[in-house]
Amino acid sequence: MCSYRMSEYIKQVAITGDISRIGTDDDLIRAWCAEVAKEIFEQKCEFAVVHVQGLHSAENPDYAARVICGCITDNPDIYRAFDCSMAFFDTKLTGLGNLYLFKNHSDVQYYDRFSSTGYMNVRLGHQHSIGVQECDGFIQNTFGQSYTFRRDFYNDDGTRDLANQRTGFLLSRFRIHGKEITFVNLNLHSLPFEDVNEIASKNASITKAAAKREEQIEMLLKELDEEGLRNDAILVAGSFNAQLHETDLLNYLAKTQLVQTVAKKDEDGNIESIEHVDRHGRRTTTVERTRFDLHSIHDWFFRLGRGQMVKRYNGELANISFKGNLKEETCFFQPSRHYELNEKGKEEFQRTLCPAWSDRILYNEKMNELFRHDSFCASGLYYGLVAEEKFVGPHKPVALHASICIK
């Protein structure tokens, strides 16, 4: 482990963001890119990692990928700060994109498992591979799913078409100042509507969707083992799509607000809505397939203390951490999803889905050993939202700033 001499550390910024709901809005994509570029530049880092999910929501995924790469790398501040960049944007299969920016190309090599020499020198300038195959320097995996080559569209009610949901990961490996680091971009299984029957079940300690996501993380860890990468420093940044434990949250609200819980069933006996009604007959909570609404306190409640009122229900990834496979900094920021602009143009949480910390950045023990852990120093770890004060779509990017030992 490094002693704390700053010459032995370099600053890095990792950012992950899901553009699946803004893929057809060119202005929002450019605003998203501007906020990401601003976050990177302000940290004066040696290298930066940008992981993008949801490219298949765009009418033309290749065009969206070029806009993202261009808007970030051609930003005047970024252009002056970094002499090279590499990008792997898989617009054909996973809809994931990895962009890497380096201050000095001579300090970096990238790994190509199809090359006889393994590591290749990174060239001066920009190398952006869009819509290409694994032979161009990355590893892709779809968790055993097969997809048709079509855009990942949304239904009329705003929910994602589950038949064409893209899940998977995109893995890139670099040697930076002699340190071998593996970066994984991933998009895990999501359930883009409220499963009211499951929420109403008092016995559900883990949802079916959460169990599916945990299974996919295990598949990722197995792939890392098979590729011989578990001894690398590993950073996993992407759409974990983790949800709050909504059953426990609703129980807490019912208890603290002293309300009556009313469950309405459809003609087949399935629960179609859950409502909390106070003693005056006013609804304080409504949960339906496409609605999660705390009515008068909705936006205030999820923003209060940067989300700390609901943080106790954010335990989905705990099993991953407790097993020692991956670690995460504490989420001292409000949920990264789901945002919208109200009729007055003010940003607030949507009332269609329960807000959650869906976008996350985790790392393994080897990476943790490279980090400088110093809460009293500006070069210590920081974990938070990008564009906290600006609307850039329903999903806010999440960033991890860290100083990394290069000794």
Side-chain angles (χ1 to χ4, degrees), residues 32 58-59 78 117 156 160 162 178 211 246 287 310 366 372:
W32 186 96
E59 289 284 354
I78 298 297
T117 57
D156 292 339
R160 191 192 296 265
L162 289 176
E246 296 171 26
V287 179
V310 293
K366 193 82 170 181
R372 178 174 184 175

Side-chain angles (χ1 to χ4, degrees), residues 19 55 58 60-70 89 91 128 130-131:
I19 66 157
L55 289 168
N60 185 335
D62 285 3
Y63 170 76
R66 286 193 292 271
V67 168
I68 292 169
C69 289
F89 275 66
T91 57
H128 296 169
I130 296 174

Side-chain angles (χ1 to χ4, degrees), residues 46-48 50 68-70 72-74 78-79 81-89 98-105 108 110 121-129 174:
E46 293 282 334
F47 73 95
V50 181
I68 292 169
C69 289
I72 294 176
T73 58
D74 292 342
I78 298 297
Y79 187 81
F82 301 95
D83 75 2
C84 70
S85 69
M86 291 197 70
F88 306 107
F89 275 66
N98 299 3
L99 172 63
Y100 305 96
L101 303 162
F102 301 102
K103 187 173 184 178
N104 189 339
H105 71 283
V108 186
Y110 76 95
N121 291 327
V122 174
R123 300 193 304 269
L124 182 68
H126 303 304
Q127 303 173 62
H128 296 169
S129 300
F174 289 88

Side-chain angles (χ1 to χ4, degrees), residues 119 173-176 178-182 231-234 370:
Y119 279 99
R173 190 184 189 196
F174 289 88
R175 182 181 286 155
I176 304 172
K179 301 289 186 182
E180 294 181 335
I181 304 177
T182 293
N231 290 325
D232 275 17
I234 299 171
L370 297 183

Side-chain angles (χ1 to χ4, degrees), residues 33-250:
C33 292
E35 291 297 315
V36 169
K38 177 183 176 183
E39 184 82 9
I40 293 170
F41 174 72
E42 289 180 346
Q43 296 308 310
K44 311 298 182 187
C45 54
E46 293 282 334
F47 73 95
V49 178
V50 181
H51 285 176
V52 182
Q53 304 85 42
L55 289 168
H56 280 113
S57 68
E59 289 284 354
N60 185 335
D62 285 3
Y63 170 76
R66 286 193 292 271
V67 168
I68 292 169
C69 289
C71 284
I72 294 176
T73 58
D74 292 342
N75 179 286
D77 292 330
I78 298 297
Y79 187 81
R80 289 191 294 267
F82 301 95
D83 75 2
C84 70
S85 69
M86 291 197 70
F88 306 107
F89 275 66
D90 175 21
T91 57
K92 296 291 190 294
L93 192 59
T94 62
L96 302 173
N98 299 3
L99 172 63
Y100 305 96
L101 303 162
F102 301 102
K103 187 173 184 178
N104 189 339
H105 71 283
S106 62
D107 297 329
V108 186
Q109 295 175 301
Y110 76 95
Y111 181 75
D112 185 348
R113 66 173 175 171
F114 296 100
S115 168
S116 58
T117 57
Y119 279 99
M120 311 279 287
N121 291 327
V122 174
R123 300 193 304 269
L124 182 68
H126 303 304
Q127 303 173 62
H128 296 169
S129 300
I130 296 174
V132 291
Q133 303 300 319
E134 279 189 327
C135 61
D136 291 274
F138 61 86
I139 298 172
Q140 66 185 183
N141 188 294
T142 61
F143 299 123
Q145 302 296 314
S146 59
Y147 302 114
T148 55
F149 295 156
R150 51 185 286 220
R151 64 185 288 255
D152 190 1
F153 62 91
Y154 283 78
N155 298 317
D156 292 339
D157 63 1
T159 61
R160 191 192 296 265
D161 178 7
L162 289 176
N164 201 37
Q165 181 183 184
R166 304 299 176 102
T167 61
F169 64 83
L170 204 62
L171 183 155
S172 307
R173 190 184 189 196
F174 289 88
R175 182 181 286 155
I176 304 172
H177 288 278
K179 301 289 186 182
E180 294 181 335
I181 304 177
T182 293
F183 300 102
V184 182
N185 181 2
L186 86 171
N187 186 32
L188 299 183
H189 174 72
S190 66
L191 197 63
F193 52 81
E194 298 296 342
D195 191 333
V196 185
N197 275 277
E198 195 165 44
I199 294 172
S201 173
K202 306 294 184 182
N203 300 319
S205 59
I206 181 171
T207 66
K208 295 176 184 177
K212 179 69 173 179
R213 289 189 284 270
E214 188 169 338
E215 176 186 325
Q216 290 175 335
I217 291 175
E218 293 294 340
M219 293 174 68
L220 165 63
L221 296 174
K222 181 180 179 181
E223 177 79 5
L224 291 171
D225 273 335
E226 292 177 350
E227 290 289 336
L229 303 177
R230 286 296 287 274
N231 290 325
D232 275 17
I234 299 171
L235 187 140
V236 184
S239 292
F240 283 78
N241 290 315
Q243 297 170 283
L244 300 184
H245 198 296
E246 296 171 26
T247 303
D248 288 349
L249 173 57
L250 291 181

